[in-house]
Amino acid sequence: MSETRDPRPRRRRLLRAVVGLLVLLAVIGYFAVQRDSNGGGGAPFCVAGADPIGAEETSATYEMSPEQAANAATIAAVGVAKGLPDRAVTIALATAMQESALRNLDHGDRDSLGLFQQRPSMGWGTPAQITDPVYSAAIFYDHLVDVPGYSRLPLTVAAQKVQRSGFPQAYAKHEPDATVLTAAFAGGGTLNCGGPAPAGPGDPARVQADLIRIFGKDGTHTMSSQAGQAGQAGQAGEAGRNSGGGSGAPEAEVRLVEKKNGGEEATRHSRAMAHWAVAHAKTMGISRVSYGRHGWVGGKDRGRWQDKGGAGGKDAAHYAGPGEVRIFMAR
């Protein structure tokens, strides 16, 4: 006599699978809508790419959170400020991607801390120093340049000579993504960051102090900060350009201008500063960044840089001139 199986448990399992799939698709759809919102006000995200500012993305990209982007931007900016080649920046970024996933950790193996999981007990510095991204990046580079021929070594070998990791081959897998990040922050690429505009005001003195701390007495730029009053686009000349945008709200500005005959070094610094500002917009209250013909505005244009044409239009007060980086904050 054959046994008749109850089909209901099978139907219930199938129903649960269908419901689970529908929930997953709904979640994916939600984030897709958030990411593609015209105002760029969805969930915060950043995308680095090797394509120039304003170009459509056609090459490799790397997506990350604003926290990761800010840390990556700082690591790259410190390398640029030290005058190191792109290869050094790529090695540093790949190392931090492996050690901390570009997060400034307050824990790790034994007493390891920070972006590079450096250890106070091994002479890397105090816990406060190691968890300072500027310090930790700078001391990593200081050790890296002491490695003979580091730029010609395989990335995993160069990183291991600095880190002395128990898993030396792990750095290699991050090299392609680290190369994309290097192009975005130190080369001719770009960083786009979407999400809502900063909710709070920014502090121009803090932004200027952080840039000075990274770039030191930058011989390629002049730097100034000021509080302006938006909505004064009718003013003529430089005063009108300094006034801010057409929103009618007070703004503060940090302006960096390349010195004459600065050459490629000045351009490299400008790109690093502009993308550093975009990466730190969320935490530092930066509402917009202009660099040359292009501008980035928090909460707009899906977080992408836009070609502003250099002059004219209702938002002309925010445009940057050739060799300028302008960083705006709400007051």
Side-chain angles (χ1 to χ4, degrees):
M1 180 177 178
S2 62
E3 179 182 353
T4 302
R5 295 181 180 272
D6 187 349
R8 286 176 294 181
R10 179 179 297 177
R11 287 200 295 267
R12 284 197 293 268
R13 288 195 296 270
L14 179 61
L15 179 60
R16 285 197 296 268
V18 170
V19 170
L21 178 61
L22 290 174
V23 170
L24 177 61
L25 291 174
V27 171
I28 293 173
Y30 169 79
F31 283 107
V33 170
Q34 291 291 306
R35 290 279 303 278
D36 198 41
S37 58
N38 290 331
F45 68 98
C46 294
V47 180
D51 297 306
I53 290 178
E56 291 296 324
E57 293 174 359
T58 59
S59 60
T61 59
Y62 182 76
E63 185 173 325
M64 56 200 149
S65 69
E67 175 195 3
Q68 292 170 311
N71 289 325
T74 295
I75 292 169
V78 171
V80 169
K82 285 178 170 289
L84 297 177
D86 286 358
R87 182 61 175 171
V89 176
T90 299
I91 294 169
L93 287 167
T95 301
M97 293 168 82
Q98 170 60 29
E99 297 289 358
S100 67
L102 294 173
R103 294 173 296 155
N104 193 17
L105 301 177
D106 62 358
H107 61 277
D109 178 46
R110 288 168 286 188
D111 59 338
S112 299
L113 297 168
L115 290 168
F116 295 91
Q117 289 291 277
Q118 295 155 339
R119 297 179 59 192
S121 63
M122 300 301 292
W124 286 93
T126 67
Q129 289 174 322
I130 290 172
T131 52
D132 171 7
V134 176
Y135 173 91
S136 64
I139 197 169
F140 176 88
Y141 286 121
D142 289 345
H143 282 72
L144 179 64
V145 298
D146 285 340
V147 176
Y150 75 87
S151 63
R152 298 185 300 274
L153 295 174
L155 185 146
T156 190
V157 174
Q160 174 64 1
K161 285 184 177 295
V162 176
Q163 295 294 105
R164 308 295 182 185
S165 169
F167 305 95
Q169 297 303 318
Y171 301 113
K173 65 186 177 185
H174 299 288
E175 184 168 1
D177 291 331
T179 301
V180 172
L181 289 178
T182 299
F185 291 117
T190 189
L191 176 76
N192 298 311
C193 285
D203 181 355
R206 179 187 171 196
V207 171
Q208 183 169 351
D210 280 7
L211 285 170
I212 290 174
R213 183 162 177 258
I214 293 172
F215 289 91
K217 298 295 183 180
D218 184 2
T220 65
H221 290 75
T222 60
M223 186 183 304
S224 61
S225 63
Q226 66 180 54
Q229 177 63 45
Q232 298 175 358
Q235 294 184 6
E238 193 70 13
R241 289 187 57 193
N242 287 343
S243 64
S247 65
E251 286 185 313
E253 177 187 357
V254 174
R255 176 179 289 196
L256 304 112
V257 182
E258 293 177 13
K259 294 181 180 179
K260 292 182 180 179
N261 303 319
E264 177 56 31
E265 181 185 9
T267 301
R268 194 167 182 245
H269 282 212
S270 292
R271 288 193 299 250
M273 291 171 175
H275 287 129
W276 178 92
V278 171
H280 285 82
K282 184 174 183 290
T283 57
M284 302 193 77
I286 295 171
S287 56
R288 65 174 72 214
V289 181
S290 293
Y291 172 48
R293 292 171 54 91
H294 293 89
W296 174 90
V297 182
K300 291 187 177 180
D301 303 314
R302 291 178 295 172
R304 296 181 60 85
W305 289 80
Q306 301 296 314
D307 188 341
K308 302 299 183 183
K314 65 180 181 179
D315 204 27
H318 285 113
Y319 295 153
E324 284 187 345
V325 179
R326 303 181 68 192
I327 304 169
F328 295 91
M329 290 145 278
R331 295 288 286 176

